[in-house]
């Protein structure tokens, strides 16, 4: 009798909050999705239809999703950073004076930078608004809970077991369950910024609930409750509904357990640019034998307001994470990380996911790369990181190579095909 009662209660909960027994969505979930979508679109002033299928809503900057966060009700928007240490990069200043005279055509290719997005071909958002990629109903319905849409899966599912598996010689937030990483990270100082030129690719992602990203990250905290802010490019079907390569930002204040999300899919990140749409497809994407393309990402802390700014390219400040949504990283980061990350529930298992990292090739001259890696510590200018560590969760699936000797500027190569003969 007791088992029968429990079964009935479970069925009622599923019917009200999730999907029905035939796989269709419950009436309650449909209503929640419609309510959220209506709320997100009500402040749209202009709509732009992109040729790739995206819809961009130009939303009043003062009514953007960030201000639904309870800690930001009285927040005053900072329209521009008060200081930008990227202007003080002595290595880059020296290089720019000699680049045109000293570089070969092959070297020159590394400076082909991506600054455009596909939707920009069909219009622009007026000043006083921000471009917001419209969330699709079908992706929102697929989320287990509406509030979890756009959030990474928590990295630590069984904290007690995973704790004993961690390598105690590494920072605890580097190793994360169900996440396979091939990264270089700087550690041991007080970090106020991190920068890198990230080559753009379109890796194959096997399943809709998996993703492959390349990014610059700043992190603080313990392995099960870390704070993180990051930006780069992603192929993430569960959030974007396709396998296009897209610009993203991400944040969490508790290891993605209950906070954080990609782009503007939850309150938190405050956008100021009316030119760049977070989550929009990057254009162009390189083809085999063609020119390489890259995006330049710089995340840095404003010394006056403590806002963490994201700069795209060398001049476009997209927006910032305000300190009110964090506890520790609002002061400084404990580590800066560059490289790739793949999420899959089959990471570390057989058969392994076939989702690629980077361009699907192991680290080498033809693999994915991140160049011009910089940190900002207590000094007034950007620096090449002096002490770094490289790390790969699954060396036979995805690996990393860091070249610092006999080169003017360190180079990071990373990537891999996932499942292969050495990674069954």
């Amino acid at each position: 009798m007791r088992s029968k009662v429990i079964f009935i209660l479970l069925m009622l909960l599923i019917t009200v909050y999730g999907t029905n027994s035939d796989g269709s969505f419950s009436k309650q979930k449909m209503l929640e999705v419609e309510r959220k979508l209506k709320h997100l679109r009500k402040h749209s002033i202009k709509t732009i239809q992109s040729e790739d299928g995206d819809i961009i809503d130009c939303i009043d900057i003062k009514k953007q999703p960030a201000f639904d966060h309870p800690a930001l009700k009285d927040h005053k928007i900072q329209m521009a950073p008060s200081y930008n240490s990227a202007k003080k990069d002595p290595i880059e200043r020296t290089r720019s004076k000699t680049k045109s005279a000293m570089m070969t055509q092959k070297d020159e290719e590394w400076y082909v930078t991506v600054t455009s997005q596909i939707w920009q071909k069909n219009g622009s958002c007026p000043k006083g608004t921000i471009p917001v990629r419209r969330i699709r109903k079908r992706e929102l319905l697929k989320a287990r809970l509406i509030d979890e849409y756009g959030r990474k899966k928590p990295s630590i599912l069984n904290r007690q077991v995973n704790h004993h598996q961690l390598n105690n010689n590494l920072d605890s937030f580097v190793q994360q369950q169900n996440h396979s990483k091939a990264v270089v990270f700087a550690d041991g100082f007080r970090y106020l910024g991190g920068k890198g030129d990230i080559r753009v690719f379109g890796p194959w992602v096997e399943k809709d609930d998996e993703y492959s990203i390349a990014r610059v990250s700043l992190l603080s905290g313990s392995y099960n409750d870390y704070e993180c802010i990051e930006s780069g490019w992603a192929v993430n079907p569960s959030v974007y509904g396709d396998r296009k390569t897209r610009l993203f930002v991400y944040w969490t204040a508790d290891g993605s357990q209950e906070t954080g999300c990609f782009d503007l899919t939850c309150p938190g990140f405050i956008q100021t640019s009316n030119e760049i749409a977070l989550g929009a497809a990057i254009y162009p994407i390189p083809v085999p034998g063609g020119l390489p393309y890259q995006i330049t990402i710089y995340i840095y802390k404003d010394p006056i307001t403590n806002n963490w700014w994201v700069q795209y390219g060398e001049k476009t400040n997209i927006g910032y994470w305000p300190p009110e949504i964090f506890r520790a990283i609002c002061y400084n980061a404990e580590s800066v990380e560059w490289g790739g990350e793949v999420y899959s529930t089959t990471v570390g298992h057989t058969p392994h996911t076939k989702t690629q990292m980077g361009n699907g090739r192991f680290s080498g001259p033809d693999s994915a790369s991140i160049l011009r890696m910089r940190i900002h510590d207590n000094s007034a200018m950007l620096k090449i990181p002096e002490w770094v560590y490289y790390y790969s969760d699954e060396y036979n699936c995805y690996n990393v190579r860091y070249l610092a000797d006999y080169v003017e500027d360190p180079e990071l190569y990373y990537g891999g095909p996932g499942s292969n003969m050495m990674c069954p």
Side-chain angles (χ1 to χ4, degrees):
M1 183 66 181
R2 183 180 179 184
S3 299
K4 187 175 181 179
V5 171
I6 292 174
F7 177 78
I8 292 172
L9 289 173
L10 285 173
M11 290 302 295
L12 285 172
L13 287 172
I14 291 173
T15 302
V16 173
Y17 295 106
T19 56
N20 299 316
S21 57
D22 62 354
S24 62
F25 298 105
S26 69
K27 183 178 180 180
Q28 181 63 29
K29 189 167 188 178
M30 293 289 288
L31 289 173
E32 288 180 5
V33 168
E34 291 292 349
R35 192 180 301 116
K36 183 175 179 67
L37 293 177
K38 184 177 180 180
H39 173 71
L40 291 173
R41 297 170 188 170
K42 69 179 181 181
H43 299 302
S44 178
I45 295 173
K46 178 182 177 181
T47 298
I48 301 170
Q49 179 71 55
S50 176
E51 66 181 43
D52 64 349
D54 281 352
I55 297 176
I56 304 298
D57 290 311
C58 301
I59 292 178
D60 186 333
I61 191 172
K62 296 180 180 179
K63 298 177 181 178
Q64 61 181 289
F67 298 113
D68 291 332
H69 195 293
L72 302 178
K73 295 297 183 183
D74 299 318
H75 182 88
K76 184 177 180 180
I77 299 177
Q78 181 184 11
M79 292 305 299
S82 56
Y83 174 78
N84 186 351
S85 61
K87 296 177 181 179
K88 296 187 176 183
D89 185 344
I91 303 113
E92 186 57 29
R93 284 208 307 267
T94 301
R95 175 185 289 143
S96 63
K97 293 178 182 179
T98 60
K99 182 174 66 175
S100 58
M102 302 289 292
M103 293 178 63
T104 65
Q105 177 62 36
K106 183 177 181 181
D107 292 328
E108 194 73 46
E109 291 177 356
W110 291 106
Y111 287 84
V112 179
T113 301
V114 174
T115 57
S116 61
Q117 295 181 313
I118 295 176
W119 71 272
Q120 295 170 337
K121 296 179 180 180
N122 294 342
S124 61
C125 286
K127 290 184 178 180
T129 70
I130 61 167
V132 178
R133 178 185 176 274
R134 184 177 293 185
I135 296 174
R136 298 176 182 178
K137 184 176 181 178
R138 61 176 180 266
E139 273 66 62
L140 201 54
L141 282 168
K142 290 177 185 177
R144 189 177 69 90
L145 296 174
I146 303 302
D147 290 341
E148 290 182 357
Y149 170 74
R151 187 185 308 157
K152 290 183 181 182
K153 303 294 190 302
S155 304
I156 305 301
L157 302 183
N158 188 333
R159 301 180 190 175
Q160 188 63 35
V161 173
N162 197 273
H163 175 73
H164 296 295
Q165 295 174 346
L166 290 173
N167 182 343
N168 292 326
N169 294 321
L170 289 171
D171 279 318
S172 53
F173 50 68
V174 174
Q175 302 170 91
Q176 301 172 8
Q177 186 172 334
N178 293 336
H179 296 247
S180 193
K181 301 166 74 174
V183 297
V184 162
F185 63 97
D187 183 36
F189 294 92
R190 180 176 178 266
Y191 298 100
L192 304 176
K195 184 178 181 181
D197 291 342
I198 309 173
R199 284 193 64 183
V200 178
F201 294 100
W204 165 250
V205 173
E206 182 179 10
K207 299 177 183 178
D208 286 349
D209 63 346
E210 300 179 347
Y211 64 70
S212 181
I213 65 177
R215 75 287 189 275
V216 177
S217 304
L218 289 96
L219 308 99
S220 288
S222 61
Y223 76 92
N224 64 340
D225 197 29
Y226 64 91
E227 298 183 3
C228 171
I229 50 179
E230 63 184 30
S231 182
W233 59 256
V235 178
N236 190 340
S238 66
V239 173
Y240 304 121
D242 56 31
R243 285 168 169 75
K244 294 183 176 68
T245 302
R246 298 173 177 273
L247 174 70
F248 82 93
V249 300
Y250 186 86
W251 72 277
T252 180
D254 62 357
S256 296
Q257 297 175 67
E258 296 181 0
T259 67
C261 64
F262 283 89
D263 310 328
L264 305 180
T265 56
C266 72
F269 186 83
I270 296 175
Q271 183 162 337
T272 57
S273 171
N274 68 328
E275 300 174 352
I276 300 296
L278 294 171
I282 294 172
Y283 176 82
I285 297 296
V287 296
L291 287 175
Y293 293 94
Q294 68 185 25
I295 57 173
T296 299
I297 296 295
Y298 179 32
I299 303 174
Y300 61 101
K301 184 172 177 284
D302 188 298
I304 306 300
T305 63
N306 292 327
N307 295 324
W308 282 97
W309 282 87
V310 178
Q311 185 183 89
Y312 180 68
E314 296 290 352
K315 61 180 181 179
T316 303
N317 290 295
I318 300 175
Y320 59 88
W321 293 281
E324 293 93 325
I325 64 176
F326 300 108
R327 295 160 295 163
I329 207 171
C330 51
Y331 301 106
N332 61 266
E334 296 175 2
S335 179
V336 183
E337 190 175 285
W338 302 263
E341 175 186 332
V342 166
Y343 170 83
S344 171
T345 55
T346 60
V347 160
H349 300 281
T350 302
H352 192 279
T353 178
K354 296 179 182 178
T355 291
Q356 299 175 339
M357 180 186 293
N359 63 353
R361 298 179 181 179
F362 285 115
S363 59
D366 296 325
S367 72
S369 64
I370 300 180
L371 306 178
R372 280 203 310 162
M373 290 175 287
R374 299 288 186 269
I375 59 167
H376 184 203
D377 53 21
N378 289 324
S379 65
M381 61 184 64
L382 290 170
K383 296 179 178 179
I384 293 175
E386 295 181 33
W387 302 101
V388 299
Y389 309 87
Y390 56 90
Y391 172 78
S392 174
D393 282 295
E394 303 172 292
Y395 193 81
N396 290 328
C397 309
Y398 315 104
N399 65 6
V400 61
R401 181 183 302 176
Y402 182 70
L403 302 180
D405 298 329
Y406 310 111
V407 292
E408 179 185 8
D409 216 331
E411 301 170 0
L412 165 63
Y413 298 93
Y414 68 96
S419 179
N420 64 84
M421 291 182 64
M422 298 182 295
C423 174

